Amino acid sequence: MKSPVPDLAPSDGEEGEDRTPLLQRAPRAETAPVCCSARYNLAFLAFFGFFVLYSLRVNLSVALVDMVDSNTTAAENRTANECSEHAAPIKVLHNRTGKKYRWDAETQGWILGSFFYGYIITQIPAGYVASRSGGKLLLGFGILGTSVFTLFTPLAADFGVGALVALRALEGLGEGVTFPAMHAMWSSWAPPLERSKLLSISYAGAQLGTVVSLPLSGIICFYMNWTYVFYLFGIVGIIWFILWIWLVSDTPETHKTISPYEKEYILSSLRNQLSSQKSVPWTPMLKSLALWAIVVAHFSYNWTFYTLLTLLPTYMKEVLRFNIQENGFLSAVPYLGCWLCMILSGQAADNLRAKWNFSTLCVRRVFSLIGMIGPAVFLVAAGFIGCDYSLAVAFLTISTTLGGFCSSGFSINHLDIAPSYAGILLGITNTFATIPGMIGPIIARSLTPENTVGEWQTVFCVAAAINVFGAIFFTLFTKGEVQNWAVRDHRGHRN
């Protein structure tokens, strides 16, 4: 089969226009069927893996409400009186056998934030290991480790706050390897014209995991007790690990049941895009403006993402006086919208490139602009709606939904510019992108000492401004083609 990828021009990949191969000037290999294909089986198994991963990440935020003695923090709550009460009376739990802990608000903050301190450590090492040894085992054991630690959450809580904080940090270490490992695997599995589809399918599991785990955790707490939240999701993670180890391979060459036709299709589509050099070109990589464009976009997007995830519900509770945690469905709706948008935008992005001959650069720019400026606009709008909580939920949903466009924008641009080092690049960008989750809530709290509407408007405007800056920076400096340093050997020649 003739390779659909022509030799790349010898000029520097960081200069000139988008020369994305496969799009306009190259003859293309006939696409291997989608049904029962190894690459789409990988995408769906990854989908369920990230479903489990985010279920394990967010279930504590729901269970914590039932774990803490409500009398401990009642006196500390600072609720504004600018809006009338919207919340319905809290229902009495059917089952109250779960143990209660006297943790104040600061202690709860340390418990919830400790995850990020582990998560940020393993990003870059995971990308490096996955690029050298493959991502299958790294991702599999990352989710398995997180699942096992989750099973021990009730025991750690009994030992004390220190044990629970340490356990959550260990869970963060396990989850930190997953995205870089998955990116490294897709560098060997995803044909360039199917990247948006395959990656959006696999990573959309994270959003659906949030959609399902938020209300399901509440139901489990209501009818059973909070300990079963951790037992249920932990067991599901172990079952997924068994399927992953059994059915997945690091590369098409090592897959036992892939058809020869699909293997040749994938390998030929990636020819001349992967590097044969053994060591990582750290210096040219870190000097690449295309990489830093993704770093800035990823950091900026996550600042708004974590604002929406953690701060807007707080705003609705303490200013609009509606506790969104009382309705699991409402808290999950925004992530359902994001999940649908990720799936649809992935299909749209690849269709624009394959059928309409849009360049990769154009698609990544447009989808990132929509996915970053759109959420910024509706985040600001959420701060200026007065006391209309229904409109706040609507703006939250629209904002989070539009963010799904980024899954086919900057989120997969690592694979466009350096497929061989995509795991390392994601580890670098995700390290910076974890910082907003660590410092964003702290800065927001410092800006809202009195919990007034005006103070929260400042929080939302700051987040929106960061997001818009990131979108503009990415648009100006991103690239859509494989960079020279990603395919050169040590003597500066292309392989």
Side-chain angles (χ1 to χ4, degrees):
M1 180 183 297
K2 186 176 181 180
S3 170
V5 186
D7 290 337
L8 296 177
S11 59
D12 192 343
E14 297 196 69
E15 296 177 0
E17 61 179 336
D18 178 14
R19 299 185 308 279
T20 306
L22 300 168
L23 296 181
Q24 297 170 355
R25 297 177 285 278
R28 299 173 191 154
E30 184 179 350
T31 304
V34 170
C35 182
C36 301
S37 65
R39 65 193 188 281
Y40 276 87
N41 287 342
L42 172 61
F44 286 115
L45 274 171
F47 172 91
F48 287 111
F50 284 99
F51 175 95
V52 171
L53 198 69
Y54 265 65
S55 298
L56 297 172
R57 179 185 293 198
V58 305
N59 59 10
L60 179 62
S61 63
V62 178
L64 193 64
V65 176
D66 197 26
M67 294 170 69
V68 175
D69 185 349
S70 59
N71 293 326
T72 304
T73 56
E76 298 181 7
N77 290 341
R78 298 170 300 148
T79 303
N81 295 317
E82 299 178 51
C83 300
S84 58
E85 182 68 58
H86 291 286
I90 299 176
K91 298 178 181 178
V92 178
L93 297 177
H94 286 185
N95 190 317
R96 307 192 69 174
T97 58
K99 189 174 180 179
K100 300 288 186 179
Y101 303 95
R102 299 186 65 82
W103 295 333
D104 58 23
E106 182 179 358
T107 300
Q108 294 175 53
W110 276 104
I111 293 171
L112 291 173
S114 58
F115 170 89
F116 292 105
Y117 292 93
Y119 187 73
I120 197 171
I121 293 174
T122 49
Q123 297 291 326
I124 296 176
Y128 178 76
V129 172
S131 69
R132 300 293 296 270
S133 307
K136 172 187 172 178
L137 293 180
L138 193 61
L139 192 152
F141 281 106
I143 296 181
L144 175 65
T146 305
S147 302
V148 172
F149 289 135
T150 297
L151 291 173
F152 286 100
T153 300
L155 181 62
D158 271 343
F159 272 106
V161 173
L164 184 56
V165 166
L167 186 74
R168 285 292 290 177
L170 289 173
E171 289 184 31
L173 288 173
E175 289 203 19
V177 308
T178 53
F179 282 96
M182 192 72 251
H183 251 47
M185 289 189 71
W186 281 128
S187 70
S188 299
W189 274 99
L193 286 179
E194 295 185 12
R195 280 175 183 157
S196 301
K197 296 176 185 177
L198 290 168
L199 271 75
S200 63
I201 290 172
S202 58
Y203 294 142
Q207 302 300 328
L208 191 63
T210 305
V211 169
V212 173
S213 63
L214 284 174
L216 182 58
S217 296
I219 291 171
I220 293 171
C221 288
F222 187 83
Y223 289 105
M224 302 170 75
N225 67 55
W226 61 265
T227 61
Y228 289 96
V229 170
F230 304 105
Y231 296 147
L232 173 65
F233 289 115
I235 291 171
V236 170
I238 294 172
I239 294 172
W240 172 87
F241 170 78
I242 296 172
L243 294 174
W244 177 260
I245 293 297
W246 181 31
L247 298 173
V248 167
S249 296
D250 275 309
T251 64
E253 295 97 322
T254 58
H255 198 281
K256 296 179 180 179
T257 61
I258 189 173
S259 69
Y261 183 75
E262 183 185 9
K263 182 191 295 185
E264 178 60 22
Y265 164 65
I266 295 172
L267 296 179
S268 64
S269 70
L270 293 172
R271 196 163 294 144
N272 293 337
Q273 290 212 349
L274 300 178
S275 175
S276 61
Q277 61 179 300
K278 300 299 183 182
S279 60
V280 178
W282 289 107
T283 300
M285 177 188 292
L286 295 176
K287 288 182 178 179
S288 174
L289 196 55
L291 168 61
W292 291 103
I294 306 174
V295 168
V296 173
H298 204 167
F299 176 93
S300 303
Y301 173 83
N302 270 23
W303 191 287
T304 300
F305 175 80
Y306 285 121
T307 297
L308 291 170
L309 184 66
T310 61
L311 301 181
L312 191 54
T314 302
Y315 171 76
M316 294 171 68
K317 175 183 178 181
E318 297 182 355
V319 178
L320 300 184
R321 305 185 69 189
F322 170 79
N323 189 352
I324 198 170
Q325 289 183 338
E326 292 174 19
N327 192 320
F329 176 75
L330 278 182
S331 62
V333 163
Y335 303 100
L336 178 61
C338 187
W339 171 68
L340 290 172
C341 185
M342 288 179 70
I343 298 295
L344 295 176
S345 66
Q347 299 291 320
D350 281 343
N351 283 335
L352 287 172
R353 298 165 68 222
K355 296 181 179 180
W356 294 87
N357 289 328
F358 278 72
S359 70
T360 301
L361 181 62
C362 177
V363 170
R364 301 297 180 238
R365 281 174 170 171
V366 170
F367 278 63
S368 295
L369 284 170
I370 297 173
M372 297 180 73
I373 293 182
V377 170
F378 284 95
L379 183 61
V380 171
F384 289 86
I385 59 172
C387 295
D388 190 338
Y389 95 84
S390 298
L391 200 56
V393 172
F395 285 163
L396 170 62
T397 300
I398 295 171
S399 183
T400 308
T401 297
L402 290 176
F405 277 93
C406 286
S407 67
S408 297
F410 74 82
S411 292
I412 62 174
N413 194 222
H414 318 73
L415 282 159
D416 297 323
I417 66 172
S420 294
Y421 309 107
I424 297 175
L425 296 188
L426 182 64
I428 293 171
T429 66
N430 214 19
T431 297
F432 285 95
T434 302
I435 296 173
M438 300 167 66
I439 68 173
I442 298 174
I443 293 176
R445 279 302 186 185
S446 68
L447 293 174
T448 56
E450 303 298 328
N451 267 329
T452 65
V453 172
E455 290 172 346
W456 279 94
Q457 287 173 352
T458 302
V459 170
F460 296 147
C461 287
V462 168
I466 292 173
N467 221 31
V468 170
F469 170 77
I472 295 172
F473 191 93
F474 180 79
T475 300
L476 291 176
F477 299 111
T478 187
K479 299 292 182 182
E481 72 279 0
V482 179
Q483 302 296 281
N484 257 19
W485 53 262
V487 290
R488 281 176 173 164
D489 61 22
H490 292 293
R491 293 174 297 278
H493 303 297
R494 286 182 178 273
N495 298 301

